[in-house]
Structures are given as C-alpha cells and as structure tokens.
Amino acid sequence: MPELHSRLLSSSAWIGFRTLFGKEVMRFWKVGVQTVGAPVLSALLYLLIFAQVLDRRVTVYDAVTYSQFLAPGLIMMSVLQNAFANTSSSLIQSKITGNIIFILLSPISWQSMFAAYTLAAILRGLLVGVGVLLVAAPLTHVGVAAPLWVLVFALLASALMGALGIIAGIWSDKFDQLALFQNFLIMPLTMLSGVFYSLHMLPPFWQQVSHFNPFFYMIDGLRYGFFGQSDVSPWLSLGVTAACLVLVTAIALRMLASGYKLRT
Amino acid sequence: MSAISVRQVSKRYDPQSTDALRDVSLEIAEGEFFGLLGPNGAGKTTLISVLAGLTRPSAGSASVMGYDVVRDYRQARLSLGVVPQELVFDPFFTVRELLRIQAGYYGVRNNEDWIDEILTRLGLADKANANMRALSGGMKRRVLVAQALAHRPPVIILDEPTAGVDVELRQGLWEFIGHLNQRGHTIVLTTHYLEEAQALCGRIAMLKQGQIVALDTTHNLLHRFASHCLRVRLERPEAALALGGEAGADGWVEFALEHCADVEPLLARLRAHDVPVQDIELGAPELEHVFREIMHRA
Ligand SMILES: Nc1ncnc2c1ncn2[C@@H]1O[C@H](COP(=O)(O)OP(=O)(O)OP(=O)(O)O)[C@@H](O)[C@H]1O
Ligand SMILES: [Mg+2]
C-alpha cells in the first residue's frame, strides 16, 4: 500500500508539473505576436540597419562579414531577454493579481515549480532564437559550423536567464522594481557583451572588464558554434556559463523552497 | 481520524504586531459541516492559511486528513480545496481552461464530466468558454468556488464564498455544498452572514483576536444564552424597560427568554403594570444574538 500510494503521488506530481509547464507555455503562446514575433522583428531591424551601414567597413574574422558576425550576437541577445522576460513577467503578474495563490495552494513542489517555469522560459528563448536565425540566415548567409555548441549555449543561456527571471519576479513587488533588473542589469550586460563588436576591437582596459561579464561568454560561445572560431575558447565559455547557471539556480531554488515573499 | 487537526497554533506576522492566532487548538471530524466565525481581523483567514500552507505557524502544528501541513505538505494540499477570500483570477484563460489547469495541478486529468457538473451546479455552464476578464464580480466568485472543487478534495474550506453573490446562487451554492457534505466531504466555512452559518453548520468555532472564545454545536450555542426572543409592541414602551426589556424602533420592545414557558409570566407582569400589548412576535433563537453576546463577554 505505501508503495502504491507513493507511486500515485509521483504520477500526480508529474501531471502537476506538466500542467504548470503547459500553462506557462500557453501564457506566452496565446500572445505569440508579442512574445515571439516582436523580438524577432526587432532583431531583424538591428540586422538590417547595422549590417547595411557597417558591412563593408568592418571585418571581424577572416571571411566573416559584419552582418554574419552580428547574427549570433543578436540571436543570443534575443534568447537571453526573452527567457528572462517569460519567468519574471509571469511571476510578477501572478503576484500582483494574486492568482499565484492557486499554485501556492496546489501540491506542486518547489522543485517542480522551478522546473516548469524554467522550461517554459527555455522554450520561449529557443523559439525566439530560432525565429531570429530563420530571418537572419537568408539575409546574411550565415552558416552553422558546430550545431551542438549552438544548441548547448542556447539551452544553458535560456535556462540561466529563466532562473534569473524567477529570482527577479519573486524579489520584485512592483513592475518598477522588475524594470530595475531590466535597465540596470540585463541591458548594460547585454550592450557590453560583444553583441555588436568583437572584444578585440576594444581598448585593452575594456577587454579586461568584458571578461567579467557572463553574457560575453554566452555570446562568444554561440559564435563559436556558428563560425568555429571565437574570442575565447568555447570550453571556457561553457565553464563560465555553467557556473553561473548553477549559482543562479541555487539561489532561485532556495527562494522557492523557503517561500520567500510568496508564503508568509 | 480528524479531517482537520490544529494543535496549539500561534501566528505572529511581525515581531512588533500582536498575535494573529494565539494558541488555537481545534479538531474537525470527517464529514462535519463546520463554521468559523469572528469579526474582521479575528484570524479566520490566517487559520485557513496555516491549513493551506500559505502561512507558516509561529508555533504549533496542523494537519489535514492526518497529513502534517508542513512535513507532508503535498498530501495535505491534495486533500484540501480552498476558496480564497480575495477575488483573484487569471485573466489569460477561459473558465473551462482554468478548471482543467486547476485539476491538473492536483494530478487529475480528463475529468470533463465533473467539470461540467460543477459548472452547471454553480450556474456557470453558459460561461464555460468566456474569458475570466469578461465575468462579473459574482461570476468570478463562483469560479473561485469551482476551482476549489476541481480535484474533488475530501476537505473543502470556503473563506466567505458568498460575499457579493446574488441570492439565487447562494441558494444553489449551499445546496451543492450540502450535497457534497452528504457525500462525505468535510466542509469548513467562514461567513459574516450568521443566518447562513446557523442554517448550515453542525458545529461552530468563534474567534476573537486570534483566540477561540466559543466552540460547540450550533444547537448548544443557540441555547447557551437566552434562547428565545419575545418581541412586543407597546403603547408605552418606556414602562416595559423596567421589566428588563430592550427598546427597539416603533414601540417594539425585546425580551430575552430562556424557555418558551417564560412567555406567560412575562405577559402577566406586563398586564400587572397596566402596559397594553398591541402586537406580539416570538422569535426563534438567533445566532446573531449569541455571537454578539459572546463577543461582548469574551
Ligand atoms: N500578511 C499579513 N501580514 C501582516 N499581518 C496580517 C497579514 N494577514 C493578516 N494579518 C493580520 O492578522 C490579523 C488576522 O487577520 P485575518 O485576515 O486572519 O482576519 P479574518 O478573521 O480573516 O478577518 P476578515 O473577517 O476581515 O476576513 C489581523 O490583525 C490582520 O491585520
Ligand atoms: Mg478573512
């Protein structure tokens, strides 16, 4: 009997997790024009404007045009921003409207909650990433040299930002506070990460500073997947990205387990 | 086994504030229809939050269907359906989508028959595919009730489910909840409509400032104090006040009586004082009187 009971419990836990994951996916998919279409469009605009202006003037690696160089950076930028937006906006909306209570009342464990929110963020990050790739590829003729690296970096980066979004969404009590995260953390780190330039184009001091920016490694790692060459070794990028993911996951899990700002 | 067991639970939200719950102990048996009454701020919602795991008690412990709400929280929450007091909803979904999601959280799938029954019983059948945003306040309240029932929990707690709900649904809601109670579901209810509690609840706890000040069957509570109320309309109401009456409007005076047998002697005394009676009513015991009396004394 106890065994049967625990089996029933684990099957109900699995359905609970899948339901929450499905709900989080539906939440962004129902407004897909905003959550997937819009970021793809803005990446396309960046690509058209920057690439047209700079293509003939700047070369980064041999045989890589500027617009080709830009494409992976834009893809990663879109993945990062959208994975973050998915968890953080879902949580803050649920908190402000109060409907988070339905999840808190349910038997869904904090581990399942973390997994469901983060996986939905990964899915949105990847969808947007694929969308940007699909519009960028015919424009820039960018090819993928090492698909596995591309996949690994896209996955890890979206997981990292999904988890960071959980932290931001739980910590913030209001939308303004969430905007602080966006404007003072995500945006500067993105702009100073080498989306638009290679590190080697910077003065030495700023090159050093960039090495402390985790976003730089995620973008550089993704570039390696596209071109087979990058500013630093993909293994270093992988290590830094994975370490950040572990750290952020640990913090998010602790917050969920303790009920920080969710349960009184 | 108790459906709900609360053992010496105290809760203080902030170190500076007073206790929202103070040393509350309570057993509710399976199949009971239980009322939790008390004025605003008495701690009813806090007690429910402890049971639901939304709030951690500062001291003491609680269990639902034998499962500790902290240690075995998954089983405890599986056993529980809560209608929250706040009118909250998810604007992204339709009513039916919401109920499917709700059941899914609890590991229940493919229960369309049950969802249809809930929708019909709560008068929501024609709103099944309406978006939550498009519902009126009372309709949203009905959806809250439906959500609590989606996984057919053995224990159902309703925190003021009838606030802002029209007469017809109140009737329908109580019929449905009564029906669930007959089928063995344990029901716990808070309400400020005391006549509702009187009509429905087998047992009642009254809370005041975080403490239980009365806990008894509804019947015993009703007969604890003066259980009947004789209302008479008099030509000279002032004269009756000396006999222990309480003045009301329009010349009505109320007398609290222990037994029906006390009516005759009272009328005799009025006659003796030469106070003609113009009109007369004998009221059954009312929970509202008892409630006020208990809150006053505690
Ligand atoms: N999240 C909270 N933080 C701080 N204090 C709280 C919190 N929730 C409730 N309280 C306080 O705890 C006490 C009990 O509140 P509770 O909501 O349990 O009362 P209630 O009996 O449900 O009242 P009502 O009939 O108005 O719903 C009140 O003094 C209230 O101010
Ligand atoms: Mg309350």
Side-chain angles (χ1 to χ4, degrees), chain A residues 264, chain B residues 13-14 20 39-46 85 160 192:
Chain A
T264 48
Chain B
Y13 285 102
D14 306 302
N40 291 138
K44 304 178 296 294
T45 300
T46 303
Q85 178 176 5
E160 295 188 36
H192 291 290

Side-chain angles (χ1 to χ4, degrees), chain A residues 95 167 170-172 254-263:
Chain A
K95 275 175 33 173
I167 296 174
I170 292 177
W171 178 80
S172 309
R254 263 196 88 92
M255 284 171 104
L256 288 171
S258 69
Y260 177 74
K261 288 214 181 182
L262 295 179
R263 299 179 199 271

Side-chain angles (χ1 to χ4, degrees), chain B residues 43-256:
Chain B
K44 304 178 296 294
T45 300
T46 303
L47 183 57
I48 292 171
S49 300
V50 166
L51 291 169
L54 298 173
T55 292
R56 289 206 177 193
S58 313
S61 62
S63 55
V64 178
M65 297 303 280
Y67 297 111
D68 187 275
V69 299
V70 177
R71 201 184 53 238
D72 307 320
Y73 73 96
R74 297 210 49 239
Q75 289 94 331
R77 288 183 207 162
L78 276 172
S79 314
L80 196 59
V82 177
V83 182
Q85 178 176 5
E86 302 287 335
L87 197 56
V88 294
F89 63 97
D90 194 328
F92 272 92
F93 300 102
T94 67
V95 174
R96 186 180 290 281
E97 281 170 342
L98 218 52
L99 293 181
R100 282 187 193 143
I101 290 171
Q102 189 70 27
Y105 286 166
Y106 291 78
V108 179
R109 275 187 309 177
N110 306 324
N111 64 336
E112 290 303 305
D113 290 351
W114 175 239
I115 288 178
D116 283 330
E117 182 177 346
I118 304 176
L119 288 173
T120 310
R121 292 287 205 143
L122 294 172
L124 286 166
D126 58 335
K127 302 284 179 198
N129 299 314
N131 187 283
M132 285 302 292
R133 263 184 292 229
L135 299 188
S136 71
M139 291 285 176
K140 288 188 186 117
R141 175 83 59 194
R142 299 179 196 203
V143 176
L144 276 188
V145 177
Q147 279 179 275
L149 301 177
H151 62 290
R152 280 193 204 240
V155 182
I156 301 162
I157 302 184
L158 306 104
D159 198 352
E160 295 188 36
T162 45
V165 164
D166 65 38
V167 185
E168 198 176 331
L169 174 77
R170 258 196 238 177
Q171 197 61 37
L173 174 66
W174 292 132
E175 243 167 60
F176 187 29
I177 299 293
H179 172 70
L180 291 174
N181 183 234
Q182 270 155 27
R183 283 203 269 173
H185 294 260
T186 308
I187 313 289
V188 178
L189 161 74
T190 83
T191 179
H192 291 290
Y193 301 108
L194 296 179
E195 66 278 22
E196 262 178 8
Q198 179 176 349
L200 295 160
C201 299
R203 227 153 53 94
I204 285 174
M206 293 190 190
L207 278 173
K208 184 183 179 184
Q209 290 169 1
Q211 285 181 295
I212 293 188
V213 291
L215 172 63
D216 211 333
T217 61
T218 309
H219 181 267
N220 286 350
L221 281 173
L222 286 172
H223 293 85
R224 178 179 291 193
F225 305 109
S227 59
H228 293 268
C229 168
L230 182 75
R231 286 156 50 85
V232 287
R233 198 151 72 92
L234 305 174
E235 225 164 68
R236 295 184 292 111
E238 327 78 62
L241 300 182
L243 296 172
E246 215 174 288
D250 279 341
W252 283 97
V253 177
E254 287 188 11
F255 292 90

